[in-house]
Amino acid sequence: MQRGNMLGGMLAHRGQWPLRTYLAGLMGLFVLAGVISLGSGWALAERDGMSAARADARYGARQAADKIGENLTVVRSSVDAVASSPGAGQVFADPASCRLSFSLGGPDDGHLDLLRPDGTVACSSHQLTGDDAAVYRRAPWLPAATRAQQVLGPVADGRTGRPAVLVSAPIPGLGVVVAFVDLVGLGATVADLFGGTRGLEFLVTTGDGGTVLTRWPDGPRWAGTAVRASRFGAPGAAGEGVDVSGLRRVYEQADVAGAGWHVFAGAERSAALTAGHRLAQRQAVIAAVGLLAGLLATLLVYRRITRPIGRLRAAVHVAARTGDLDRAVTVSGPQEVSGLGAEFAALLATVDSELGERRKAEEVAREHERNYRQMFDASPYPVYLFDVETLHIVAVNDAAVRYFGHTRDELLSMAVTDLCPVDDAALVAQAVSTAAPVERGRRLRHVKHDGTVTDVDVTSHLTVFAGRTVRCAILDDITEREQLQRRLRQSERLESLGQLAGGIAHDFNNLLGIINGYASMSAADVEVMTAGDPAWSRLHADLLEIVAAGDRAAGLTRQLLAFARADAVTEMRVLDLNSVVVDVEKLLRRTLGADIILVTRLTPESRPVKADVGRLEQVLVNLAVNARDAMPDGGTLTIDTDAVTVDEHYTAQHPGLRPGRYMRLQVSDTGTGMSKATLERAFEPFFTTKPTGQGTGLGLATIYGIITQAGGHAQIYSELGHGTTVATLLPITTDHAETAEKTEPVPVSGTGQTILLVEDDEGLRALTERILHRNGYTVRSAATAAEARELADAGDGINLLLSDVVMPGTHGPDLARDLRLDRPSLPVVFMSGYAESVLAARSALPPGAVLLNKPVSSYQLLSTISRVLEAGDRIAAP
């Protein structure tokens, strides 16, 4: 500061006139020259530019309208010609004779189709694929098209997915001829032909002005949208308006003859005023004159302003280079210049310290920015920054580019709402406006470039980027995690329901055994007394109904056990899946009805699987019946087989499934489909969407149990209105098929053999004892294992032990083991109403044990006992 004061004292301070006096005169000269130049040429240049732009737009609009009208005339003539052609009927009868051709100048400008009344394609000017044949089945315009000629637009072309103009003509008794003119291609064609050097914008609307038919440029975005959804402003009397994106243009309009459509051709307003360049040339001359006057004025004040400032400047350079603040600088000139010299020393005294602090602050800021940029670019999570006011994306990292599938430039041209499904756009905008400065775990949905919708957890915070407030969003894709948890919950729920179903089987089967046994014996007794007596005949018929109802109840129990994957009554053998489908196909064709088309597609590379053939047939029949009920108005039922390989990625999403080779059996229908809520509960037992009394809810549950019991996997794919596909996977086996068929032994009456019967259920014990007595056996019955031991030790020996498996106190296998200590060759037959998995958890059966699953019919009981006794006699024979 001391040096600064010394320098200030040494400066000559001789001020006269203020500097603003000189500058005000100089600026006055330049302003005067500029006003004269602008006033003379601006109005003329603008008028000329606007007039030329309107003339070009008028020409483009008229030519475009005429071209569109000509194309419509050509399309109508083509449609009418095909509709009235005698060969149209031959094409419907023989689609292979299709020879349609259609062109408006480009391969993608449209196509001509012959449709049947149900919307299926019989013939097309473009090559058909399998999915294209039925794409118009539910088209809203189809009923009207089959009745009368029409020109309709815009409509969605089901073949291309793009908006188009529909021209149709009916063929009485056969179908309809339809022509689709692609609106996006039509707009591009018009722009190529009549856009001119100005690159005119073309906008075609419907006659009521409510819908955009096509637009160039950016046709795919705007074709088929409502005009009110854009920023389009109709041109006024001067021809000025606003296009759909908000850009000001000079418009002219023309109408399409015969269609009533409006064609707007617009030139960019700013480009139309390029004639103002001529104004700049004129003003350059005037500015040169003003500049000359300014130079003269500058020369006038040069000695009073420029030279003192030059001396101060040199002193500043010396001080900055050498740090010498003691140089004497004589400054003369206006008051401001001399004052500047007086403050020079004080300024230099503070510059050095302030400059040092600023450099340090800038270096720290640059270091922070480098660290932040490294974290941003190297993050494995997708990260993007967006403006909190406009929601436009301003920066993305490499992980975001890979995740969304868009290029970096594409992402930077989008808003946050463009990354979300259309239905979520308003929700996302509201979430951003109400978000806290730091927010974690907000659940949103995002859409990738290929249309895949994903669930993400978004963590975001406010920050500053390029001088504006932005929000940094970090994405965590949880789609697979959510799917896996949902499937795991469903699997656990089905497992618990299966355990419940297996647990109730014991008591239910005991009751069914008593009912069926007594009813069968009573029916046999009454049958001998029915001759000539109507009363006994009615009683006999009633008893047979009871037996039939009991059999149906036993079938219901077997369905529950099949769902529980624990039904022991299965015959697993190696079989060919194609053969099972062929055998069931004959039955299905007779029972599905004439309105259901059955299609089978069997793989030529069929591999053997191990399953119960009866259960697989039950799977096919249940699925076919469900499909028939879902197609009340008829449809197509498709059964196909294929050999597939399941990898670890697929098994990670489907708990319980292992990698390997499988045979896939798929049953698909074209019915009503299922909602998401119904789909999640489809495999639950007793869940049904049918009216009360029309379904038990065990069909799909039984299928799930049968397939899972065979080591496979079942899954349903369905959407409302798009049908249902049930896909089952069965593991391919390396075992060889069995060739010998098992024969069921014919029951032989007893000859007084003693059977020790052990059953804790009193009613079932009495029934079994009665059946055995009636068929020649001597029976000793006991309710517990303790009673059975006493009976076995009393009297003569016993020939066979017939025991329940699970009993109070000692179980059947333990009792058999105790009795065989003294009787090693004692034959044993077990009975149980529990599923095999439940028995394994409570009391393991000995290897090779004979097990009868309750309810046991008289035939099964007597056949098994006679077979076991006969086998024991053969072993005992010398």
Side-chain angles (χ1 to χ4, degrees):
M1 290 297 298
Q2 185 177 3
R3 292 185 177 182
N5 292 334
M6 292 174 63
L7 180 58
M10 296 173 65
L11 291 173
H13 192 171
R14 295 178 238 160
Q16 294 181 0
W17 298 96
L19 181 60
R20 61 176 175 271
T21 303
Y22 298 98
L23 295 179
L26 186 62
M27 290 176 61
L29 291 175
F30 280 105
V31 169
L32 179 61
V35 169
I36 294 173
S37 176
L38 290 173
S40 63
W42 180 259
L44 178 62
E46 187 178 71
R47 185 167 59 252
D48 290 345
M50 294 291 288
S51 178
R54 292 194 67 179
D56 289 346
R58 186 181 305 110
Y59 174 82
R62 291 176 179 174
Q63 293 297 320
D66 292 341
K67 180 63 176 177
I68 294 173
E70 292 174 4
N71 285 349
L72 283 178
T73 301
V74 171
V75 174
R76 284 175 174 169
S77 300
S78 300
V79 170
D80 291 339
V82 174
S84 59
S85 172
Q90 176 63 28
V91 173
F92 281 98
D94 181 16
S97 64
C98 175
R99 297 294 186 273
L100 286 181
S101 63
F102 182 81
S103 175
L104 294 177
D108 298 324
D109 287 344
H111 56 90
L112 186 66
D113 298 332
L114 285 178
L115 306 182
R116 300 182 181 90
D118 63 351
T120 56
V121 181
C123 178
S124 177
S125 61
H126 281 190
Q127 184 176 358
L128 285 170
T129 67
D131 295 335
D132 288 340
V135 74
Y136 303 119
R137 279 184 178 273
R138 296 178 176 84
W141 45 261
L142 182 60
T146 57
R147 293 193 296 269
Q149 296 180 347
Q150 62 175 348
V151 178
L152 184 63
V155 300
D157 186 353
R159 296 275 300 282
T160 65
R162 289 151 63 104
V165 174
L166 170 71
V167 179
S168 67
I171 304 177
L174 295 176
V176 60
V177 184
V178 295
F180 290 88
V181 180
D182 186 84
L183 287 173
V184 176
L186 181 63
T189 300
V190 169
D192 289 341
L193 293 175
F194 311 114
T197 58
R198 289 184 184 274
L200 295 176
E201 178 231 18
F202 288 93
L203 180 71
V204 182
T205 69
T206 54
D208 60 0
T211 304
V212 176
L213 291 175
T214 187
R215 190 241 183 190
W216 188 91
D218 203 10
R221 176 182 177 186
W222 293 105
T225 62
V227 173
R228 66 175 180 273
S230 70
R231 300 171 65 182
F232 178 70
E240 294 189 35
V242 178
D243 68 10
V244 294
S245 63
L247 185 65
R248 296 184 65 186
R249 293 187 181 272
V250 181
Y251 277 107
E252 284 293 340
Q253 174 184 343
D255 295 336
V256 179
W261 300 341
H262 303 311
V263 179
F264 295 90
E268 189 175 346
R269 186 180 184 279
S270 60
L273 297 179
T274 54
H277 294 164
R278 293 192 296 270
L279 175 63
Q281 296 175 357
R282 296 189 186 95
Q283 290 190 355
V285 176
I286 300 173
V289 176
L291 179 61
L292 180 60
L295 289 175
L296 293 175
T298 303
L299 289 175
L300 181 65
V301 298
Y302 177 75
R303 294 180 63 86
R304 304 295 296 169
I305 299 177
T306 308
R307 287 186 179 180
I309 292 177
R311 285 195 294 271
L312 284 176
R313 189 188 216 175
V316 169
H317 288 168
V318 172
R321 187 174 61 253
T322 64
D324 185 5
L325 303 180
D326 296 330
R327 294 174 58 88
V329 181
T330 302
V331 177
S332 63
Q335 182 179 4
E336 288 82 356
V337 176
S338 61
L340 179 63
E343 295 176 1
F344 174 66
L347 176 64
L348 289 180
T350 60
V351 164
D352 188 49
S353 62
E354 292 180 356
L355 186 60
E357 294 177 359
R358 180 178 299 177
R359 286 173 180 168
K360 292 180 180 179
E362 290 177 352
E363 183 62 28
V364 171
R366 283 193 293 270
E367 182 65 22
H368 288 171
E369 182 178 355
R370 283 194 298 270
N371 293 339
Y372 186 83
R373 173 58 66 179
Q374 290 175 355
M375 294 174 59
F376 179 78
D377 291 336
S379 173
Y381 292 96
V383 183
Y384 57 80
L385 307 180
F386 63 93
D387 192 296
V388 295
E389 295 182 357
T390 64
L391 302 185
H392 279 86
I393 299 173
V394 297
V396 295
N397 68 349
D398 294 338
V401 173
R402 293 190 299 269
Y403 179 75
F404 287 107
H406 294 283
T407 64
R408 189 179 300 273
D409 291 338
E410 289 174 344
L411 287 173
L412 295 179
S413 66
M414 301 168 68
V416 174
T417 51
D418 295 331
L419 298 178
C420 304
V422 177
D423 297 340
D424 294 358
L427 177 63
V428 171
Q430 180 182 6
V432 171
S433 63
T434 59
V438 177
E439 189 169 70
R440 295 180 176 85
R442 180 178 286 274
R443 185 69 53 83
L444 295 175
R445 294 192 302 164
H446 275 31
V447 180
K448 296 185 178 181
H449 178 66
D450 59 1
T452 302
V453 179
T454 60
D455 294 322
V456 294
D457 273 346
V458 181
T459 299
S460 64
H461 62 272
L462 292 177
T463 186
V464 177
F465 178 82
R468 55 180 169 177
T469 302
V470 299
R471 183 170 283 274
C472 176
I474 305 171
L475 309 183
D476 182 12
D477 191 328
I478 61 171
T479 305
E480 290 190 4
R481 188 191 315 161
E482 287 291 311
Q483 290 178 349
L484 184 60
Q485 290 178 352
R486 187 163 51 249
R487 293 182 184 277
L488 185 59
R489 288 193 298 268
Q490 184 186 33
S491 178
E492 291 173 347
R493 184 169 65 250
L494 292 176
E495 184 68 23
S496 64
L497 289 173
Q499 293 176 357
L500 175 63
I504 66 173
H506 176 262
D507 293 337
F508 192 44
N509 280 331
N510 282 349
L511 296 175
L512 286 177
I514 296 171
I515 294 171
N516 288 356
Y518 279 109
S520 297
M521 287 192 300
S522 298
D525 292 339
V526 171
E527 184 178 8
V528 299
M529 298 184 294
T530 56
D533 191 336
W536 286 109
S537 298
R538 287 193 299 271
L539 179 58
H540 180 258
D542 292 343
L543 290 172
L544 292 180
E545 288 296 327
I546 294 174
V547 174
D551 292 338
R552 289 193 296 271
L556 184 62
T557 306
R558 285 191 294 273
Q559 285 186 308
L560 282 171
L561 291 172
F563 166 75
R565 294 169 290 167
D567 191 355
V569 188
T570 56
E571 186 179 354
M572 305 292 287
R573 61 186 182 89
V574 179
L575 51 85
D576 179 29
L577 190 59
N578 284 358
S579 300
V580 176
V581 175
V582 171
D583 292 340
V584 176
E585 179 182 4
K586 303 172 185 177
L587 170 65
L588 295 180
R589 291 193 183 278
R590 294 193 301 268
T591 58
L592 285 177
D595 56 345
I596 303 295
I597 301 174
L598 177 60
V599 179
T600 58
R601 291 195 291 261
L602 306 181
T603 178
E605 301 178 357
S606 180
R607 296 292 183 269
V609 297
K610 195 168 186 178
D612 186 300
V613 63
R615 297 304 180 87
L616 281 185
E617 292 174 348
Q618 182 182 359
V619 167
L620 285 170
V621 172
N622 283 4
L623 292 178
V625 171
N626 285 350
R628 180 197 63 193
D629 295 342
M631 298 184 290
D633 299 325
T636 301
L637 174 64
T638 303
I639 303 175
D640 63 80
T641 62
D642 196 9
V644 298
T645 300
V646 173
D647 56 16
E648 294 182 355
H649 176 73
Y650 188 83
T651 58
Q653 303 177 31
H654 299 80
L657 191 62
R658 297 181 179 179
R661 293 279 292 166
Y662 289 81
M663 284 297 296
R664 182 180 64 197
L665 171 65
Q666 281 193 158
V667 179
S668 306
D669 64 64
T670 58
T672 56
M674 302 182 190
S675 66
K676 184 177 181 181
T678 301
L679 193 60
E680 290 182 350
R681 301 187 60 191
F683 283 133
E684 291 186 10
F686 306 114
F687 173 76
T688 178
T689 58
K690 297 179 181 179
T692 303
Q694 296 187 17
T696 64
L698 287 174
L700 290 176
T702 302
I703 292 170
Y704 177 85
I706 291 173
I707 298 301
T708 311
Q709 184 181 15
H713 178 75
Q715 188 168 358
I716 304 177
Y717 306 90
S718 183
E719 289 186 17
L720 282 176
H722 295 278
T724 300
T725 295
V726 179
T728 62
L729 297 175
L730 292 170
I732 294 175
T733 182
T734 57
D735 295 345
H736 298 290
E738 299 178 5
T739 56
E741 296 186 357
K742 297 181 180 179
T743 58
E744 188 70 21
V746 177
V748 178
S749 297
T751 58
Q753 296 95 327
T754 301
I755 296 177
L756 178 58
L757 170 63
V758 188
E759 170 61 58
D760 60 318
D761 187 285
E762 183 177 356
L764 188 59
R765 185 173 67 253
L767 172 64
T768 307
E769 184 177 354
R770 184 173 176 182
I771 293 173
L772 294 175
H773 274 304
R774 289 167 61 110
N775 287 272
Y777 293 102
T778 301
V779 181
R780 299 179 189 175
S781 60
T784 64
E787 294 180 12
R789 291 191 187 95
E790 295 178 359
L791 292 176
D793 294 335
D796 298 332
I798 56 175
N799 300 105
L800 181 140
L801 172 64
L802 177 62
S803 173
D804 193 2
V805 176
V806 179
M807 296 184 298
T810 303
H811 294 322
D814 298 329
L815 172 63
R817 189 163 45 252
D818 293 343
L819 294 181
R820 279 181 169 175
L821 292 176
D822 299 326
R823 307 167 184 83
S825 61
L826 176 66
V828 179
V829 175
F830 293 107
M831 301 182 297
S832 180
Y834 285 106
E836 188 175 21
S837 61
V838 178
L839 294 178
R842 293 192 177 188
S843 179
L845 291 174
V850 179
L851 175 66
L852 292 175
N853 289 87
K854 300 177 183 179
V856 183
S857 67
S858 300
Y859 181 88
Q860 290 177 310
L861 178 65
L862 296 173
S863 298
T864 303
I865 290 177
S866 63
R867 173 171 57 85
V868 172
L869 287 174
E870 182 181 355
D873 291 341
R874 286 198 301 269
I875 296 174

